[in-house]
Amino acid sequence: MRFDSDMELCVKKHSKKRYIGIYTILFLIVSLAVFFSFILQKRSLVCTVDGESQYVVYLRYMGQYIRDTVSGFFHGNFHLRQFDFSIGIGDDIGAIVRFHPLDFLAALVPASFAEGIYAVILLLRFYLAGLAFSAYAYASPSFIYADREKAGVFPAWQNVLSGSLVYVFGGYMLIRVTNHPTYAAPFIVLPLLLLGMERVVAEKGSLLFILSVFLGFWSNYYFMYICSIALLVYALLRYPEIVKEHRFRSFPHYAGRLILLYLVGLMMSMATFLPAMLRYRGSYRLSQTSEMQSLWLYADKRRYVAWFLNLISPYQSSGNGLDLNFAVVVLPALAVLFTKRYRRRRTLRASLLLELAALLVPVFGYIFAGMNNENNRWMFLIALSLGMCCVTVIDDFADLKGASLRNVLLVSFLFLAGTAAERVLKRPNRYNEAGTAELLAFLLLLLVLRRMKASREAVRTAVLAAVIISTGINGFLTYAPEGGNRTAAFQPAGDTTQKYEKLDRRAAAWIPDNRFYRVDAADVRHGLENSAEYFGYNSIGMYNSILNTHLIRTLLDENNAGLDAVTQVHDLDGRPVAGNLAHVKYYIAGAGNEGKVPYGFEKREDLSDLSASTAVYENQNLLSAGFTSDSFITWANYQKLSDIEKEWVKLDAVVLPEEDSALADKLRAEGLREVEKPSASIKTESLKSPDLSGGQGQLSFQAGKGTCSFLRLKALTGAGTSEELTITSEGIRTTVRIRSSRDVYTLGRKDYLINLGYNAEDRARAVTLIFSGHGARSLDAAELVSVSMDAYESRVRALNEEALQNEQIEDGLLTGTITNKETKLAVFTVAAQRGWTLYVDGKKTDPDTFDGMYLGTLLRPGTHEIRLQYHTPGLRAGAVCALFGLIVFMLAALRQKKKEHEKEMRSDL
């Protein structure tokens, strides 16, 4: 390492390889300290809910998908599979194959190593985030060190290491990113994006900027949306420092060039970004169903103080994802930054002021969340600014005096006072007290260094050591049982995939039936909805950020308890009509849930060896994958029905699309029968409402022979924002989550309808309600809904009379023939979504959406060849845009290489 002769001033830029080596060693040491509790507790890095249920399953799936695709290419099969019926009720591959660059590593290991490669990729994300920060800190010193760049001056390597540790090991990374690994994407992209912009305006080339935009949209368009807002603000703040003269006249060129290059990177990402955006734009998540809080003031006023205390305290959250928890150096560094008002630090100060102010006003969280619900997933912006603050200010600690010293002591006093006040007024908080101890120790270190008149080199090394120790303490108090015990939220090591292997539902993958069908199961619990993707069978359940919009709306219309949230479908609650429409041929129920088996299913004794703890039941009245009907009900009449009537009417008639009066008129003219209500006998009677004050209640009723019973709980509210309600009866156990209007995942549900199964005989029945939380609850009324199953089989047979024959159904394709003597409506067991194309007798036809969620069409008399084929919406157009963007990028690369060559030639002369 070669230092400048004036060691008190700065350090010359040293070997990149040497810095990377030091950074790598230090990263490994700090990571071992931070995550050591995982080793002691024998825990994996897979979080129990989101990691286990989504990310590790998707990573495993993606690895297998890439291996299968590459193998197919080598064997001459160049077809790119775009759809999979095992994803929920059937969905685009892009729903779970996200193409984050590091996730491609999953293709290098067998599926059985999913947990291991998951951990490797997570740690790689941490590692690369620190390297990206280091590159930005080293290569963009102009607004920190002013004109020193011309002299070859760069920040000290110790300071960059300190800043990178602050950036990488803050609370957001330790708590949120370990739960949602994709949240690490902007930590890698943002520093490169800003560095790329600096290189563009400094006339050093545009390739890094274009690649950073491409990488951002390719990795995660949501976080790139936040990064783009940050880029806009950053570019505006930097403009007065970059352009010294004719600013008004120069701005169009400054902005236009950045916008043009940004668009090139965006176009390069279109092959993945456009399909993803089209999917999101058509999703149910755009519907605002939760109760909006004030956008200007937080309801919980503690948040206005909590962020300050939690800035350097371990583990504590200031509300709704606001996990700061940085190393102790951050608080004194902020005090010095805002004391020494150097012009060269103006952009950094302005950025931090804007970001810290944004913590105090909910509207900024609302904007960063895409104008949906307020959250704080933008904490990586603060992390970057605070990391750069440390890089900038640490050298000033060597000359701590006057106003700087007073302000450091002042903010320290305010922190100590806040912790003391909390101890007196509320209760001791060990995390804030740990932050206090760290702060006092760091202040003592600074004062000792000041008294010793230590050199800047000694101060840099001492501060780096303090950051390492503080980071280790924060990690321990976050994860260890003696602290926040965060490791308890992670799966035992080696048990992640084993938990799936032990599921009762694994039997679905072993059923010896080669035809197309779906499998449903009893009481699927949150966290394991994606077992179908894991095992590769067709089902309904899914846990994902975006689900099929038509599925959610239909299950809401029918008040199906299997729909838990905008992100979760557990099952179909064992409801016979809903299951039959979904072509559920097999049902799996474990011990204690035999009563949940839908009407018309019989136990397959020959399949009892598939699982010792569960049984497989087969549908004896299976509705065809493509049935026809000569009756219809308009959407307006459909909406007049009760929840249970909306489901049962679909055995009598096809529900027409919303706002399609022209189709209804056409069907009337064709002579099809119009229906206004279901033919099934449906009776509703009031039950005595239970007392819920003790957290549980009981109901009793007399069930009639040959009926399916449903319990309707009207205007039920639970304790707090959400809580679980478990309903038990004879051979039935169902769990639903009661969500208030404040819950971000609420469906706006007020009534709950729970299937209590089929009654073969008249009998007295009892139902127990058990709530998981504590607090006040309310229930307006309890009702028993009884549906007669008389003529159920005959109605199914009528729909199957002229059904799809010779069907061939595979991922993304349905073919077969239908022969109908009269004009009928055909309904296929394919969930409606963009991308499907229908061909009838070789002619392309726009499919309709029938029964709320299935594709269908009108067929006139005759024999018809049916072909439904799926292509990812936006993929072709996106690929064309990506190709054009790639060509522009290559031209830019050639131009940059030519300019560099000319520059070298001039220097040689």
Side-chain angles (χ1 to χ4, degrees):
M1 186 75 61
R2 296 190 309 123
F3 296 101
D4 191 90
S5 57
D6 185 2
M7 193 172 293
E8 298 297 312
L9 178 63
C10 56
V11 185
K12 287 187 177 180
K13 186 178 182 182
H14 58 282
S15 167
K16 293 179 182 179
K17 292 182 179 179
R18 185 167 185 179
Y19 174 83
I20 292 174
I22 296 172
Y23 167 78
T24 302
I25 294 171
L26 190 59
F27 176 84
L28 292 174
I29 293 172
V30 173
S31 295
L32 180 63
V34 168
F35 296 110
F36 193 66
S37 294
F38 285 82
I39 300 174
L40 293 179
Q41 301 300 315
K42 297 181 179 179
R43 296 281 175 169
S44 70
L45 288 176
V46 180
C47 195
T48 298
V49 178
D50 292 294
E52 174 191 41
S53 62
Q54 291 191 79
Y55 297 114
V56 77
V57 175
Y58 296 169
L59 189 68
R60 183 179 182 272
Y61 183 100
M62 179 175 176
Q64 189 62 52
Y65 175 77
I66 294 173
R67 288 191 295 272
D68 291 345
T69 302
V70 172
S71 176
F73 285 174
F74 278 114
H75 289 85
N77 179 12
F78 299 103
H79 172 69
L80 186 65
R81 187 161 57 95
Q82 301 172 35
F83 189 90
D84 191 339
F85 276 109
S86 74
I87 303 175
I89 199 167
D91 212 333
D92 193 281
I93 296 290
I96 61 174
V97 176
R98 309 290 175 81
F99 296 109
H100 302 135
L102 291 176
D103 287 353
F104 281 88
L105 295 175
L108 303 180
V109 300
S112 57
F113 285 84
E115 181 182 301
I117 195 65
Y118 180 96
V120 169
I121 291 173
L122 179 62
L123 292 175
L124 268 176
R125 286 184 163 111
F126 275 69
Y127 176 77
L128 293 177
L131 274 186
F133 174 89
S134 301
Y136 175 62
Y138 263 122
S140 297
S142 57
F143 73 91
I144 301 174
Y145 296 94
D147 295 330
R148 297 180 185 175
E149 186 184 14
K150 296 178 181 179
V153 175
F154 292 84
W157 64 270
Q158 298 100 318
N159 297 357
V160 176
L161 282 174
S162 295
S164 67
L165 293 179
V166 167
Y167 181 64
V168 171
F169 291 103
Y172 188 84
M173 288 284 275
L174 297 185
I175 296 173
R176 301 296 163 183
V177 170
T178 52
N179 189 21
H180 301 276
T182 56
Y183 287 15
F187 281 85
I188 302 171
V189 170
L190 181 62
L192 299 179
L193 185 66
L194 301 186
L195 175 57
M197 194 215 84
E198 291 289 340
R199 290 182 61 83
V200 169
V201 298
E203 302 293 339
K204 292 184 177 180
S206 59
L207 301 186
L208 179 60
F209 183 70
I210 296 173
L211 284 174
S212 300
V213 174
F214 161 71
L215 181 64
F217 280 109
W218 196 41
S219 299
N220 191 297
Y221 63 85
Y222 166 66
F223 285 112
M224 189 57 193
Y225 159 74
I226 300 177
C227 288
S228 298
I229 296 175
L231 174 66
L232 173 63
V233 175
Y234 180 83
L236 293 175
L237 291 175
R238 288 283 289 128
Y239 181 68
E241 299 174 351
I242 294 170
V243 180
K244 304 297 184 181
E245 298 177 344
H246 309 295
R247 287 173 177 163
F248 182 79
R249 188 171 62 191
S250 302
F251 185 77
H253 177 265
Y254 174 84
R257 187 179 182 192
L258 290 175
I259 291 172
L260 182 62
L261 295 173
Y262 181 95
L263 292 176
V264 173
L266 175 60
M267 291 188 68
M268 288 173 60
S269 71
M270 277 293 179
T272 57
F273 172 65
L274 184 57
M277 183 52 59
L278 290 174
R279 175 177 171 79
Y280 174 72
R281 292 298 302 172
S283 74
Y284 193 81
R285 293 203 73 166
L286 286 177
S287 303
Q288 178 63 57
T289 54
S290 62
E291 180 182 319
M292 284 297 299
Q293 304 295 315
S294 169
L295 293 179
W296 306 107
L297 294 173
Y298 288 114
D300 186 354
K301 300 303 185 288
R302 291 174 298 179
R303 292 182 66 168
Y304 292 104
V305 178
W307 75 268
F308 178 70
L309 296 179
N310 297 340
L311 193 62
I312 61 170
S313 294
Y315 188 59
Q316 296 288 283
S317 175
S318 306
N320 204 7
L322 186 55
D323 303 288
L324 299 170
N325 321 119
F326 294 102
V328 67
V329 66
V330 162
L331 194 60
L334 279 173
V336 173
L337 179 71
F338 286 100
T339 300
K340 294 191 172 183
R341 304 186 63 82
Y342 299 132
R343 287 176 59 87
R344 59 181 178 267
R345 298 175 180 173
R346 183 170 57 189
T347 296
L348 183 58
R349 283 198 303 271
S351 299
L352 274 167
L353 280 174
L354 289 172
E355 290 159 357
L356 295 176
L359 292 178
L360 306 179
V361 186
V363 70
F364 290 100
Y366 174 75
I367 292 171
F368 283 130
M371 276 69 78
N372 197 315
N373 290 286
E374 180 263 335
N375 66 50
N376 292 289
R377 292 174 184 163
W378 55 278
M379 288 301 98
F380 60 91
L381 302 181
I382 291 182
L384 179 65
S385 296
L386 290 177
M388 292 304 296
C389 174
C390 294
V391 174
T392 306
V393 165
I394 286 174
D395 279 4
D396 293 332
F397 287 152
D399 189 29
L400 198 59
K401 61 184 178 181
S404 295
L405 178 60
R406 288 195 300 272
N407 285 343
V408 168
L409 295 176
L410 175 61
V411 297
S412 301
F413 172 77
L414 291 175
F415 185 90
L416 299 178
T419 304
E422 183 180 41
R423 183 181 184 89
V424 172
L425 300 176
K426 193 177 178 183
R427 64 177 182 275
N429 184 311
R430 56 179 168 175
Y431 304 107
N432 288 342
E433 291 181 350
T436 299
E438 289 184 54
L439 182 59
L440 289 174
F442 187 71
L443 286 177
L444 180 62
L445 173 66
L446 291 181
L447 293 175
V448 169
L449 292 172
R450 178 175 180 270
R451 185 171 182 81
M452 293 173 58
K453 297 183 179 179
S455 66
R456 280 201 171 104
E457 180 68 16
V459 170
R460 292 164 183 160
T461 304
V463 171
L464 175 58
V467 170
I468 294 172
I469 294 171
S470 178
T471 301
I473 292 173
N474 288 359
F476 175 81
L477 289 177
T478 298
Y479 294 123
E482 296 83 355
N485 196 24
R486 181 73 184 152
T487 52
F490 291 77
Q491 283 294 304
D495 193 45
T496 301
T497 56
Q498 286 301 310
K499 197 166 183 178
Y500 281 94
E501 298 294 342
K502 296 173 183 176
L503 280 176
D504 293 340
R505 300 195 298 282
R506 72 188 185 281
W510 304 330
I511 296 174
D513 189 338
N514 294 325
R515 300 192 68 178
F516 177 84
Y517 58 85
R518 290 192 176 95
V519 180
D520 203 5
D523 197 28
V524 177
R525 303 301 300 275
H526 177 42
L528 294 170
E529 296 94 335
N530 292 329
S531 59
E533 290 93 314
Y534 183 91
F535 289 109
Y537 65 88
N538 303 325
S539 184
I540 289 92
M542 189 177 186
Y543 177 34
N544 194 31
S545 58
I546 297 177
L547 300 181
N548 184 291
T549 302
H550 297 285
L551 171 67
I552 292 179
R553 288 176 175 168
T554 300
L555 295 184
L556 272 177
D557 277 339
E558 298 174 1
N559 205 359
N560 194 302
L563 174 64
D564 183 72
V566 294
T567 56
Q568 301 161 30
V569 175
H570 297 318
D571 49 53
L572 292 177
D573 195 33
R575 288 164 65 159
V577 177
N580 232 341
L581 289 169
H583 203 59
V584 172
K585 187 175 183 179
Y586 297 100
Y587 193 86
I588 296 176
N593 248 324
E594 299 88 348
K596 200 65 178 286
V597 177
Y599 173 80
F601 281 71
E602 292 184 2
K603 187 175 181 179
R604 285 281 300 269
E605 298 292 349
D606 58 316
L607 300 180
S608 59
D609 60 335
L610 295 182
S611 174
S613 59
T614 191
V616 178
Y617 299 80
E618 184 175 356
N619 191 350
Q620 303 301 304
N621 304 292
L622 182 64
L623 196 57
S624 171
F627 64 87
T628 61
S629 174
D630 61 1
S631 304
F632 69 94
I633 180 172
T634 63
W635 185 263
N637 286 330
Y638 172 73
Q639 288 300 323
K640 295 175 183 178
L641 303 177
S642 68
D643 44 18
I644 199 71
E645 289 175 327
K646 286 178 178 177
E647 178 181 356
W648 244 258
V649 78
K650 294 173 184 177
L651 286 181
D652 298 299
V654 173
V655 181
L656 299 187
E658 186 176 1
E659 299 178 356
D660 197 342
S661 58
L663 178 58
D665 292 338
K666 182 190 295 185
L667 298 181
R668 294 186 188 104
E670 294 278 354
L672 273 71
R673 185 170 64 99
E674 185 169 2
V675 170
E676 294 186 355
K677 61 181 181 179
S679 61
S681 174
I682 300 175
K683 297 179 181 179
T684 302
E685 61 181 280
S686 297
L687 300 177
K688 183 180 179 181
S689 295
D691 179 11
L692 305 180
S693 58
Q696 64 179 34
Q698 284 196 329
L699 296 141
S700 60
F701 62 90
Q702 188 68 30
K705 179 181 178 180
T707 64
C708 281
S709 298
F710 297 85
L711 174 64
R712 181 184 289 126
L713 302 173
K714 302 195 71 174
L716 174 65
T717 61
T721 303
S722 72
E723 71 168 334
E724 285 190 344
L725 165 62
T726 300
I727 302 99
T728 60
S729 187
E730 302 168 31
I732 289 175
R733 178 185 176 88
T734 298
T735 302
V736 298
R737 181 162 289 277
I738 313 300
R739 300 181 186 274
S740 76
S741 59
R742 301 188 307 276
D743 188 284
V744 68
Y745 298 111
T746 184
L747 294 159
R749 192 178 258 161
K750 296 181 180 179
D751 300 341
Y752 294 81
L753 186 68
I754 296 95
N755 180 18
L756 298 179
Y758 175 68
N759 307 289
E761 301 291 340
D762 291 331
R763 54 175 174 159
R765 298 188 60 180
V767 179
T768 301
L769 310 178
I770 303 173
F771 294 86
S772 63
H774 301 279
R777 303 172 185 86
S778 65
L779 174 65
D780 279 5
E783 295 177 344
L784 171 67
V785 181
S786 301
V787 183
S788 172
M789 300 307 290
D790 292 343
Y792 175 81
E793 290 89 344
S794 63
R795 288 198 291 272
V796 173
R797 284 197 300 270
L799 295 175
N800 281 338
E801 281 181 359
E802 298 178 336
L804 186 69
Q805 303 295 321
N806 305 316
E807 70 268 22
Q808 294 292 324
I809 304 175
E810 57 190 60
D811 291 329
L813 181 66
L814 178 150
T815 62
T817 60
I818 293 179
T819 300
N820 53 299
K821 298 176 182 178
E822 299 177 352
T823 299
K824 285 191 173 183
L825 295 169
V827 182
F828 307 103
T829 185
V830 176
Q833 67 182 93
R834 294 183 60 177
W836 284 100
T837 302
L838 173 64
Y839 298 90
V840 178
D841 300 328
K843 296 180 180 178
K844 184 177 179 180
T845 305
D846 292 330
D848 291 302
T849 300
F850 291 151
D851 287 343
M853 58 178 285
Y854 295 108
L855 293 177
T857 190
L858 175 65
L859 294 178
R860 289 183 168 78
T863 298
H864 304 285
E865 295 292 332
I866 303 296
R867 183 181 182 88
L868 264 171
Q869 192 162 10
Y870 182 84
H871 294 287
T872 299
L875 179 60
R876 292 175 180 173
V880 172
C881 291
L883 179 61
F884 180 76
L886 181 61
I887 293 172
V888 175
F889 174 78
M890 293 174 65
L891 292 175
L894 291 174
R895 182 172 181 269
Q896 181 173 319
K897 187 174 182 179
K898 181 180 178 181
K899 291 178 67 175
E900 291 173 354
H901 178 69
E902 291 174 351
K903 184 177 180 181
E904 290 176 2
M905 293 291 290
R906 286 195 298 269
S907 62
D908 290 341
L909 295 176

